[in-house]
Amino acid sequence: MTAPTAAPPTSPTSWLADLPPNYFAMAMATGIVSLACHVTGFEVLAKVLFWVTVLCFAVLWVLLLTRLVRYPSRMAADLLNHGKCVGFFTIVAATCVLGSQCLIVEESPAVAVSLWVFGIALWVILNYTIVTALTIKENKPSLPDGINGGWLLIVVAAQSVAVLGAQLAAILKWTHGTALFFCLAVWLGGGMLYIWIISLIFYRYTFFRLSPSDLSPPYWINMGAVAISTLAGTMLVANASHSPMLADLLPFIKGFTLLFWATATWWIPMLVILGLWRHVYQKFPLRYDPQYWGVVFPLGMYTVATFRLVQHLNLPFLSPVPNVFVFVAVGAWGLAFLGLAGKLLRLGKPRSGSN
């Protein structure tokens, strides 16, 4: 009788092989909740969450680069996977959200400009690498298997670049007009991308069977993508007095900004109902998943976008909305953080029966 073969030793970094590409959503979510706290007057919490964002951002970059060095084939496979590749766009959004925090919460414009330039470079590289790769690959999944709400991270990444650029335009005096034109073009392009992608998602929703496991947390990005589009529009409106081009287009920009906000608002009850159907009626287990940061981000973004909508489009009757939603966003962030902490504690416990 032969002795059982011992399992091969596991590398301390082997878990990195399966690190989800969308984990930068944690930095995105923490950053936007920090900004939500800032605009609604919770300055101490905004500062604390700023440093949490910095820590998350730094750690995630270390993990990403380590994975690239140790498991390049797994990274390449993710880049060609229809369901996973769009998660890499969280890197762009996290970079630009951190830039907004540096500008608004920490008042460090030089760092914000550096992060904006870095974000643009990442956006261009990922945008054309991923979309080209998915276009020319031979074996492609069916629509129900290949698309989900995470695809709208392509829109979120573009609009995060437009938001930070519009916020920085006032200090980029030597290229003020060029920066605003660039932000306007990215905002419009991102809006068009939303129309294309959400059409496919809505078609998948209504004409294909949707099981509880299919209704994953990234579907909240259906709302988050138009919320950040709203924020980008309000930032362009805020710059209209400094740009003849934006002044000429002001009615158009305001109209589309309201369209984006109304669409984001429509999605919120729908997503809540579908969440109740998933977890209450269908009894799908609710446990921590890194994808839940994709729920926190839209809630924080809707808070900030509505605050800026009130401010720059003179809609004071909407001011109670961000004052309520900030608590929802902070609560959702807290639950996601507790879920992450619980998972880390479980991973740190020795397995039963181990020597």
Side-chain angles (χ1 to χ4, degrees):
M1 185 174 180
T2 58
T5 304
T10 303
S11 167
T13 60
S14 59
W15 57 273
L16 277 175
D18 298 315
L19 186 73
N22 62 355
Y23 234 124
F24 273 82
M26 180 167 59
M28 287 168 54
T30 306
I32 197 59
V33 173
S34 169
L35 289 166
C37 290
H38 174 80
V39 299
T40 52
F42 299 98
E43 194 59 40
V44 173
L45 186 54
K47 292 275 188 181
V48 171
L49 289 175
F50 167 76
W51 289 109
V52 175
T53 308
V54 171
L55 178 62
C56 289
F57 190 75
V59 170
L60 288 167
W61 266 108
V62 170
L63 295 178
L64 178 72
L65 294 175
T66 304
R67 187 182 187 226
L68 178 62
V69 172
R70 292 190 60 86
Y71 307 102
S73 61
R74 302 293 285 271
M75 288 273 286
D78 285 348
L79 283 168
L80 291 172
N81 185 299
H82 274 69
K84 293 182 178 180
C85 63
V86 289
F88 287 103
F89 283 101
T90 60
I91 304 172
V92 179
T95 300
C96 291
V97 169
L98 180 58
S100 293
Q101 287 179 277
C102 289
L103 179 66
I104 296 170
V105 178
E106 282 297 301
E107 299 180 356
S108 301
V111 179
V113 171
S114 299
L115 287 169
W116 185 50
V117 173
F118 185 45
I120 293 172
L122 288 170
W123 174 63
V124 171
I125 292 168
L126 288 172
N127 196 52
Y128 292 102
T129 299
I130 291 173
V131 176
T132 301
L134 295 184
T135 301
I136 65 177
K137 68 182 289 191
E138 294 184 5
N139 298 318
K140 301 180 183 181
S142 63
L143 181 66
D145 294 331
I147 198 165
N148 57 57
W151 269 69
L152 288 166
L153 286 167
I154 300 173
V155 177
V156 172
Q159 301 296 26
S160 70
V161 169
V163 168
L164 181 54
Q167 290 171 335
L168 288 168
I171 65 174
L172 298 173
K173 295 182 180 179
W174 59 277
T175 185
H176 181 80
T178 304
L180 286 176
F181 177 78
F182 172 75
C183 292
L184 175 66
V186 173
W187 179 65
L188 291 171
M192 194 67 244
L193 280 169
Y194 182 83
I195 294 171
W196 292 343
I197 297 171
I198 200 64
S199 299
L200 294 174
I201 291 173
F202 203 82
Y203 176 59
R204 191 261 180 272
Y205 255 27
T206 52
F207 289 95
F208 293 89
R209 183 179 180 274
L210 194 69
S211 68
S213 59
D214 293 329
L215 197 64
S216 55
Y219 275 111
W220 272 85
I221 306 172
N222 296 0
M223 184 271 278
V226 268
I228 194 172
S229 299
T230 301
L231 181 59
T234 63
M235 293 297 98
L236 292 171
V237 171
N239 280 282
S241 60
H242 307 294
S243 169
M245 174 193 64
L246 293 182
D248 290 342
L249 294 171
L250 192 56
F252 170 82
I253 296 172
K254 284 185 175 182
F256 260 83
T257 299
L258 283 171
L259 172 67
F260 290 142
W261 181 84
T263 304
T265 304
W266 182 87
W267 270 115
I268 294 171
M270 186 69 194
L271 292 166
V272 170
I273 292 168
L274 291 174
L276 292 173
W277 171 80
R278 185 188 197 219
H279 295 293
V280 178
Y281 182 75
Q282 294 288 348
K283 296 180 173 57
F284 191 85
L286 181 62
R287 61 173 66 95
Y288 175 76
D289 188 301
Q291 294 185 103
Y292 277 107
W293 293 107
V295 177
V296 180
F297 176 79
L299 294 171
M301 183 55 70
Y302 186 80
T303 303
V304 177
T306 306
F307 181 90
R308 296 302 185 195
L309 191 79
V310 170
Q311 184 180 37
H312 297 302
L313 273 72
N314 192 26
L315 301 171
F317 53 87
L318 289 177
S319 58
V321 176
N323 293 329
V324 171
F325 257 83
V326 67
F327 294 103
V328 179
V330 171
W333 184 89
L335 290 173
F337 184 81
L338 288 174
L340 172 62
K343 182 174 183 179
L344 292 175
L345 287 173
R346 288 192 297 273
L347 288 175
K349 288 181 179 179
R351 296 178 182 177
S352 58
S354 62
N355 294 326

mmCIF file of all heavy atoms in Angstrom, residues 96-113:
data_model
loop_
_atom_site.group_PDB
_atom_site.id
_atom_site.type_symbol
_atom_site.label_atom_id
_atom_site.label_comp_id
_atom_site.label_asym_id
_atom_site.label_seq_id
_atom_site.Cartn_x
_atom_site.Cartn_y
_atom_site.Cartn_z
ATOM 1 N N CYS A 96 -8.070 58.618 -10.521
ATOM 2 C CA CYS A 96 -8.671 59.949 -10.683
ATOM 3 C C CYS A 96 -9.488 60.360 -9.454
ATOM 4 O O CYS A 96 -9.519 61.543 -9.098
ATOM 5 C CB CYS A 96 -9.534 59.981 -11.939
ATOM 6 S SG CYS A 96 -8.561 59.874 -13.466
ATOM 7 N N VAL A 97 -10.132 59.406 -8.793
ATOM 8 C CA VAL A 97 -10.854 59.736 -7.562
ATOM 9 C C VAL A 97 -9.869 60.183 -6.483
ATOM 10 O O VAL A 97 -10.113 61.159 -5.761
ATOM 11 C CB VAL A 97 -11.697 58.537 -7.078
ATOM 12 C CG1 VAL A 97 -12.228 58.782 -5.672
ATOM 13 C CG2 VAL A 97 -12.869 58.290 -8.030
ATOM 14 N N LEU A 98 -8.733 59.489 -6.377
ATOM 15 C CA LEU A 98 -7.703 59.909 -5.431
ATOM 16 C C LEU A 98 -7.189 61.299 -5.792
ATOM 17 O O LEU A 98 -6.924 62.124 -4.906
ATOM 18 C CB LEU A 98 -6.558 58.900 -5.405
ATOM 19 C CG LEU A 98 -5.394 59.218 -4.456
ATOM 20 C CD1 LEU A 98 -5.876 59.362 -3.012
ATOM 21 C CD2 LEU A 98 -4.309 58.146 -4.559
ATOM 22 N N GLY A 99 -7.068 61.580 -7.096
ATOM 23 C CA GLY A 99 -6.674 62.922 -7.524
ATOM 24 C C GLY A 99 -7.664 63.979 -7.075
ATOM 25 O O GLY A 99 -7.282 65.067 -6.621
ATOM 26 N N SER A 100 -8.958 63.670 -7.164
ATOM 27 C CA SER A 100 -9.988 64.603 -6.696
ATOM 28 C C SER A 100 -9.881 64.823 -5.192
ATOM 29 O O SER A 100 -10.051 65.936 -4.689
ATOM 30 C CB SER A 100 -11.379 64.071 -7.054
ATOM 31 O OG SER A 100 -11.589 64.061 -8.443
ATOM 32 N N GLN A 101 -9.584 63.758 -4.462
ATOM 33 C CA GLN A 101 -9.395 63.903 -3.017
ATOM 34 C C GLN A 101 -8.196 64.793 -2.695
ATOM 35 O O GLN A 101 -8.263 65.641 -1.801
ATOM 36 C CB GLN A 101 -9.177 62.532 -2.370
ATOM 37 C CG GLN A 101 -10.408 61.657 -2.260
ATOM 38 C CD GLN A 101 -10.057 60.331 -1.639
ATOM 39 O OE1 GLN A 101 -9.592 59.423 -2.318
ATOM 40 N NE2 GLN A 101 -10.260 60.215 -0.348
ATOM 41 N N CYS A 102 -7.105 64.579 -3.425
ATOM 42 C CA CYS A 102 -5.911 65.397 -3.185
ATOM 43 C C CYS A 102 -6.201 66.872 -3.443
ATOM 44 O O CYS A 102 -5.713 67.750 -2.723
ATOM 45 C CB CYS A 102 -4.763 64.928 -4.083
ATOM 46 S SG CYS A 102 -4.072 63.328 -3.619
ATOM 47 N N LEU A 103 -7.024 67.145 -4.451
ATOM 48 C CA LEU A 103 -7.349 68.527 -4.791
ATOM 49 C C LEU A 103 -8.327 69.142 -3.802
ATOM 50 O O LEU A 103 -8.134 70.274 -3.342
ATOM 51 C CB LEU A 103 -7.935 68.578 -6.203
ATOM 52 C CG LEU A 103 -8.349 69.958 -6.722
ATOM 53 C CD1 LEU A 103 -7.120 70.854 -6.897
ATOM 54 C CD2 LEU A 103 -9.126 69.839 -8.026
ATOM 55 N N ILE A 104 -9.377 68.404 -3.443
ATOM 56 C CA ILE A 104 -10.492 68.973 -2.679
ATOM 57 C C ILE A 104 -10.330 68.772 -1.174
ATOM 58 O O ILE A 104 -10.542 69.706 -0.394
ATOM 59 C CB ILE A 104 -11.823 68.351 -3.161
ATOM 60 C CG1 ILE A 104 -12.071 68.737 -4.627
ATOM 61 C CG2 ILE A 104 -12.985 68.803 -2.286
ATOM 62 C CD1 ILE A 104 -13.224 67.997 -5.271
ATOM 63 N N VAL A 105 -9.950 67.574 -0.770
ATOM 64 C CA VAL A 105 -9.857 67.280 0.667
ATOM 65 C C VAL A 105 -8.521 67.731 1.245
ATOM 66 O O VAL A 105 -8.463 68.352 2.304
ATOM 67 C CB VAL A 105 -10.067 65.770 0.928
ATOM 68 C CG1 VAL A 105 -9.916 65.453 2.414
ATOM 69 C CG2 VAL A 105 -11.441 65.328 0.427
ATOM 70 N N GLU A 106 -7.421 67.457 0.516
ATOM 71 C CA GLU A 106 -6.084 67.776 1.015
ATOM 72 C C GLU A 106 -5.495 69.055 0.434
ATOM 73 O O GLU A 106 -4.440 69.509 0.879
ATOM 74 C CB GLU A 106 -5.134 66.611 0.728
ATOM 75 C CG GLU A 106 -5.290 65.449 1.674
ATOM 76 C CD GLU A 106 -4.955 65.826 3.108
ATOM 77 O OE1 GLU A 106 -3.817 66.259 3.381
ATOM 78 O OE2 GLU A 106 -5.840 65.685 3.964
ATOM 79 N N GLU A 107 -6.149 69.619 -0.588
ATOM 80 C CA GLU A 107 -5.686 70.858 -1.225
ATOM 81 C C GLU A 107 -4.230 70.745 -1.685
ATOM 82 O O GLU A 107 -3.378 71.580 -1.386
ATOM 83 C CB GLU A 107 -5.869 72.054 -0.283
ATOM 84 C CG GLU A 107 -7.326 72.293 0.111
ATOM 85 C CD GLU A 107 -7.500 73.486 1.040
ATOM 86 O OE1 GLU A 107 -6.478 74.082 1.450
ATOM 87 O OE2 GLU A 107 -8.654 73.802 1.361
ATOM 88 N N SER A 108 -3.966 69.674 -2.458
ATOM 89 C CA SER A 108 -2.636 69.437 -3.024
ATOM 90 C C SER A 108 -2.753 69.359 -4.542
ATOM 91 O O SER A 108 -2.770 68.266 -5.134
ATOM 92 C CB SER A 108 -2.040 68.133 -2.471
ATOM 93 O OG SER A 108 -1.943 68.181 -1.070
ATOM 94 N N PRO A 109 -2.883 70.513 -5.216
ATOM 95 C CA PRO A 109 -3.126 70.501 -6.662
ATOM 96 C C PRO A 109 -2.021 69.863 -7.492
ATOM 97 O O PRO A 109 -2.295 69.247 -8.513
ATOM 98 C CB PRO A 109 -3.293 71.989 -7.005
ATOM 99 C CG PRO A 109 -2.670 72.729 -5.876
ATOM 100 C CD PRO A 109 -2.856 71.876 -4.666
ATOM 101 N N ALA A 110 -0.767 69.999 -7.061
ATOM 102 C CA ALA A 110 0.325 69.421 -7.839
ATOM 103 C C ALA A 110 0.210 67.897 -7.893
ATOM 104 O O ALA A 110 0.410 67.276 -8.955
ATOM 105 C CB ALA A 110 1.672 69.828 -7.234
ATOM 106 N N VAL A 111 -0.141 67.277 -6.766
ATOM 107 C CA VAL A 111 -0.331 65.829 -6.736
ATOM 108 C C VAL A 111 -1.535 65.450 -7.593
ATOM 109 O O VAL A 111 -1.513 64.448 -8.324
ATOM 110 C CB VAL A 111 -0.517 65.328 -5.293
ATOM 111 C CG1 VAL A 111 -0.748 63.826 -5.271
ATOM 112 C CG2 VAL A 111 0.695 65.692 -4.445
ATOM 113 N N ALA A 112 -2.586 66.247 -7.522
ATOM 114 C CA ALA A 112 -3.796 65.977 -8.307
ATOM 115 C C ALA A 112 -3.503 66.014 -9.804
ATOM 116 O O ALA A 112 -3.993 65.162 -10.561
ATOM 117 C CB ALA A 112 -4.883 66.979 -7.945
ATOM 118 N N VAL A 113 -2.706 66.999 -10.237
ATOM 119 C CA VAL A 113 -2.348 67.089 -11.658
ATOM 120 C C VAL A 113 -1.558 65.851 -12.083
ATOM 121 O O VAL A 113 -1.803 65.274 -13.153
ATOM 122 C CB VAL A 113 -1.539 68.371 -11.935
ATOM 123 C CG1 VAL A 113 -0.982 68.351 -13.358
ATOM 124 C CG2 VAL A 113 -2.410 69.604 -11.738
#
